Amino acid sequence: MTSPSEPPPPSGAGAQEESLGDAHPPHALPLQLDLPREAEAVPEERPAAKRARGKLNVRRIVVRLALLLVVLGATAAALVAYVLPWYVRRQCIEEAAAHGIALAIDDAKIDGGGFHLLGVRATWADMPGARIRAPQVDVETSGLRPQKMTVHGAEVTLEGHWNAVDTTFAKWSASPAGGQGGAWVPVALAFEDSRIVWQAPLGENAGVEASGVHLDVTTRPAGAELHARSERVTIGVPGGTLGPWRVDLDRTPGTSRVRIALDPGVPEACTVLVVGDDERTTSVDISVPRSPLARLGLPPQLLGLRGTDLQAEATMHYATQGPSRADATAKGGL
């Protein structure tokens, strides 16, 4: 019996299937398998397209390499233009300070043969009166070692008796901090078209000025060799000036030679030749054929002479014959 509110029980085939479903599980649905589909055919790339794509890749690589080289070149240029000159300038100042020289440099430039210092000023602690100014100094290098230094248009100022200056320089040069101390000294040193002003080299009231100076110094194992020349040397004394004369100086280890042309217009005519060794003067030769005093750089008023068309003639020879003997002969006239 059922209550009026319950649904009527199923009847017929549907009721039979329901009753069977209570005893056995429902039939499983058929398994769906996704079988791989046959690969779609890809059209083969043509040879011309392959070559074009390869050229494009090579072109990209070349462009990237070119950009890399440009960047590296710009970096190297900046290094040469800014960093290296600053480093060279600082190293020169520090190296000079280690040898007692106060050095100031306005600028420095680098090239394949070495470097160039611009606006150079130097003073020497061991000799307060020594000063050098040069608009440009060229330094040729081999590796990291300077080989030759050329100073252009220098103004050199010295003070003191020549014996004191020579002794001070020799003492400094032989010291560990001197000219031969370390690898900073170039093998060759040159001054071109320079000017030297030397106060009191022979006495308190005399000064020497040399212009157009050309000087070459070469350092060798046996010692330094020096060759200097000035086309115009004058000596200032109270009341006037002696000169101008041409002076040639040659100095090698063990010997020195100074030749003075009293008449630079005829340098072989009127000469004074002084030869010496490391300790003393060994010979002096003066040859002055008859010449006007004015052409010899000897103003008559400085010699206390009066007159017109004054001329002089002189021949002199002096030579040492040992530690305690010397021979001298002289003749001349005015």
Side-chain angles (χ1 to χ4, degrees):
M1 294 183 61
T2 59
S3 63
S5 61
E6 293 178 354
S11 59
Q16 184 179 359
E17 290 178 4
E18 187 175 355
S19 61
L20 290 176
D22 294 338
H24 302 283
H27 294 290
L29 296 176
L31 180 63
Q32 300 293 328
L33 297 178
D34 290 333
L35 296 179
R37 290 190 257 177
E38 206 174 308
E40 297 180 4
V42 178
E44 185 178 355
E45 190 175 11
R46 295 181 180 180
K50 285 184 178 181
R51 287 194 299 269
R53 186 162 54 85
K55 289 181 179 179
L56 182 60
N57 291 336
V58 171
R59 191 176 303 164
R60 288 176 179 173
I61 294 174
V62 171
V63 170
R64 290 173 182 174
L65 289 177
L67 290 175
L68 178 61
L69 291 177
V70 169
V71 172
L72 292 177
T75 303
L79 182 66
V80 173
Y82 298 102
V83 179
L84 286 182
W86 171 83
Y87 175 78
V88 167
R89 177 175 170 272
R90 189 189 68 174
Q91 286 295 107
C92 290
I93 293 174
E94 292 180 354
E95 193 69 40
H99 293 80
I101 298 174
L103 187 63
I105 304 172
D106 291 340
D107 196 5
K109 295 182 179 180
I110 311 293
D111 60 21
F115 55 90
H116 311 274
L117 306 177
L118 306 178
V120 179
R121 301 172 300 282
T123 56
W124 188 11
D126 290 347
M127 190 175 296
R131 297 184 300 276
I132 297 178
R133 289 177 173 268
Q136 181 170 331
V137 177
D138 300 331
V139 182
E140 300 176 17
T141 60
S142 176
L144 298 177
R145 179 180 173 84
Q147 295 296 310
K148 182 178 181 180
M149 182 168 66
T150 303
V151 184
H152 299 276
E155 294 277 343
V156 182
T157 303
L158 299 171
E159 293 181 7
H161 196 276
W162 72 271
N163 276 333
V165 172
D166 186 65
T167 300
T168 301
F169 179 80
K171 183 179 179 180
W172 171 80
S173 181
S175 67
Q180 304 304 320
W184 76 290
V185 181
V187 177
L189 170 66
F191 279 76
E192 298 292 342
D193 195 20
S194 299
R195 178 172 174 263
I196 298 176
V197 177
W198 194 337
Q199 299 294 334
L202 303 173
E204 292 296 330
N205 297 323
V208 176
E209 180 177 335
S211 58
V213 175
H214 297 268
L215 180 146
D216 292 286
V217 180
T218 304
T219 303
R220 304 188 184 280
E225 294 185 4
L226 182 148
H227 305 279
R229 182 184 78 254
S230 174
E231 300 291 342
R232 183 181 176 86
V233 176
T234 59
I235 299 177
V237 296
T241 302
L242 302 175
W245 303 318
R246 169 175 170 164
V247 177
D248 292 86
L249 170 63
D250 299 286
R251 187 169 184 175
T252 59
T255 182
S256 61
R257 180 178 180 272
V258 179
R259 185 178 183 276
I260 303 173
L262 300 178
D263 185 358
V266 189
E268 302 299 327
C270 306
T271 61
V272 177
L273 179 62
V274 182
V275 179
D277 54 23
D278 291 337
E279 298 180 357
R280 63 186 183 277
T281 299
T282 57
S283 67
V284 177
D285 287 280
I286 299 176
S287 176
V288 180
R290 186 171 178 174
S291 306
L293 286 179
R295 296 190 60 180
L296 300 178
L298 301 173
Q301 63 273 19
L302 289 181
L303 303 179
L305 301 175
R306 302 182 185 278
T308 59
D309 194 23
L310 291 176
Q311 298 183 349
E313 181 179 2
T315 301
M316 176 182 175
H317 174 73
Y318 164 88
T320 58
Q321 302 297 328
S324 59
R325 178 181 172 182
D327 293 339
T329 58
K331 66 178 181 178
L334 180 65

